Amino acid sequence: MKSLIIKKDKIESSLSKDFVLTQNELIIPQKIHYQEPIKIIIQSDQLDDFQIVVSKETTIKIILEILNESNLEHTYNLHLNLQDNTNVKYLLVSETQSKKTTIFHQFSVHRDAKLELIGGFVSHVLDTKMHVDLLKDGAEVKMRTVAVSSDDNHQIIDASITHKAPHTFGDMTNIGIANKRGKIVLNGIEKIEKGMKQANAFQTLKGIITSDLAVVEVNPILLIDEYDVKAGHGATVGKIEEDVLYYLMSRGLNKKEAEKLIINGFLKPVIDEIDDEPLKERFVSLVNSRI
């Protein structure tokens, strides 16, 4: 897998020469269907205004991993720009150990571009803001995120989609899983601006707690300024259903094993997208240590 490693004082790249790379921007060439994903690893403590541009009519999968084991405060500002008629699958994984990590990630989706955005968050203390602008007719985003917290982990996931053009589609499903004293806040905001006819906006927020001390807060918000649209949302918070646990325990599993099996089922859409085996093994191991 071709990769780009962003460190504190340098960038290491094994990408082919048709990619244009500067200190603050990566441009992926137009009219190419990439069979293999590319991986971007951010190891620096700070990253200001790094932009990835996917040029017109290109199809690609991008895995972006934010990996930092220091306990310093980290701030990352990222922007993914999908030009016309692109098709992008984007996996964002954050596994930082700092006392506070802040991620600002903006996504711009242009005419007939399709973005599948998948997020996996297992950081210690995290405040992440993911904002998607659907800018032209036919722009689409499907967002799926999972955050897992335990012990004293505190993660805030702000996910927002704004429809700035008619005939756009936005769908988000965000899941928070908290164990022990873990805390997760899921904020889902989707806005359809006035005049953006036949836009579609849907969101689902789900919180799962496996301890009486754990907290998951979900806040679904729809802001609709147009009549000719379709929109809907739903939110739930609770423990794993007792009848599901009972069924699995009747098949020979203990309660902890049953809970892990169910939770790993929620994680499967994220795990299945991790093509990098060392990252997949590390992510699964970290998640299971928290649940």
Side-chain angles (χ1 to χ4, degrees):
M1 183 185 302
K2 301 295 185 182
S3 65
L4 181 70
I5 303 175
I6 302 174
K7 299 184 177 181
K8 181 178 180 180
D9 53 357
K10 63 178 178 178
I11 297 178
E12 299 176 359
S13 174
S14 64
L15 301 177
S16 57
K17 293 182 179 179
D18 53 349
F19 287 76
V20 178
L21 176 63
T22 67
Q23 195 68 28
N24 300 105
E25 186 176 56
L26 172 66
I27 301 177
I28 300 170
Q30 65 180 357
K31 297 183 178 180
I32 298 178
H33 181 91
Y34 289 94
Q35 300 292 335
E36 296 291 327
I38 65 167
K39 184 178 181 182
I40 301 172
I41 305 171
I42 300 175
Q43 295 180 343
S44 63
D45 292 337
Q46 308 287 330
L47 186 62
D48 294 326
D49 300 324
F50 188 82
Q51 178 173 225
I52 304 167
V53 179
V54 183
S55 301
K56 293 180 179 181
E57 301 178 37
T58 282
T59 298
I60 194 169
K61 178 176 180 179
I62 301 169
I63 300 173
L64 190 142
E65 179 186 11
I66 300 176
L67 175 62
N68 206 309
E69 296 181 353
S70 76
N71 61 2
L72 301 174
E73 292 192 12
H74 310 311
T75 302
Y76 305 96
N77 289 275
L78 305 165
H79 185 194
L80 178 66
N81 188 331
L82 278 64
Q83 296 188 350
D84 295 354
N85 296 292
T86 52
N87 195 324
V88 177
K89 183 174 287 187
Y90 188 81
L91 173 62
L92 171 63
V93 177
S94 172
E95 43 181 331
T96 59
Q97 302 301 314
S98 75
K99 56 186 177 182
K100 184 177 181 182
T101 298
T102 304
I103 302 172
F104 300 97
H105 204 322
Q106 183 177 350
F107 301 84
S108 299
V109 187
H110 291 80
R111 189 178 311 279
D112 295 323
K114 293 178 174 59
L115 170 63
E116 185 174 353
L117 171 58
I118 305 159
F121 303 102
V122 285
S123 292
H124 179 54
V125 178
L126 173 68
D127 185 356
T128 183
K129 294 175 173 58
M130 298 181 295
H131 179 72
V132 182
D133 282 324
L134 302 175
L135 297 170
K136 298 291 181 65
D137 283 30
E140 296 184 10
V141 61
K142 181 179 181 181
M143 179 190 300
R144 293 174 288 166
T145 68
V146 177
V148 184
S149 289
S150 185
D151 295 317
D152 295 314
N153 306 141
H154 184 186
Q155 300 188 89
I156 302 172
I157 313 299
D158 286 326
S160 62
I161 301 171
T162 301
H163 298 254
K164 296 189 173 185
H167 308 98
T168 49
F169 178 86
D171 183 25
M172 68 168 71
T173 300
N174 301 326
I175 300 173
I177 302 166
N179 186 29
K180 297 181 181 178
R181 296 181 303 275
K183 183 175 182 181
I184 297 172
V185 179
L186 298 176
N187 298 316
I189 303 169
E190 197 154 2
K191 181 178 181 180
I192 300 177
E193 295 184 348
K194 186 173 178 61
M196 306 310 151
K197 297 180 182 298
Q198 297 185 30
N200 295 269
F202 304 99
Q203 61 175 262
T204 301
L205 306 182
K206 185 177 182 66
I208 300 169
I209 53 177
T210 60
S211 162
D212 291 337
L213 299 177
V215 176
V216 179
E217 178 184 330
V218 297
N219 300 298
I221 299 172
L222 284 176
L223 304 172
I224 311 297
D225 290 333
E226 176 57 49
Y227 291 100
D228 185 13
V229 299
K230 293 180 180 179
H233 66 186
T236 60
V237 177
K239 293 186 175 181
I240 297 172
E241 296 177 8
E242 289 295 331
D243 57 343
V244 177
L245 285 174
Y246 177 79
Y247 174 81
L248 293 175
M249 292 169 68
S250 71
R251 297 301 187 268
L253 299 179
N254 61 39
K255 185 177 180 181
K256 195 67 177 178
E257 291 170 337
E259 286 179 342
K260 283 193 173 186
L261 183 61
I262 294 167
I263 290 171
N264 275 275
F266 288 115
L267 295 169
K268 194 173 186 299
V270 175
I271 294 170
D272 286 350
E273 295 298 338
I274 305 177
D275 300 272
D276 183 272
E277 286 302 320
L279 172 58
K280 178 181 289 189
E281 291 177 6
R282 189 169 66 248
F283 182 82
V284 171
S285 176
L286 182 55
V287 164
N288 279 281
S289 72
R290 292 190 173 189
I291 60 177

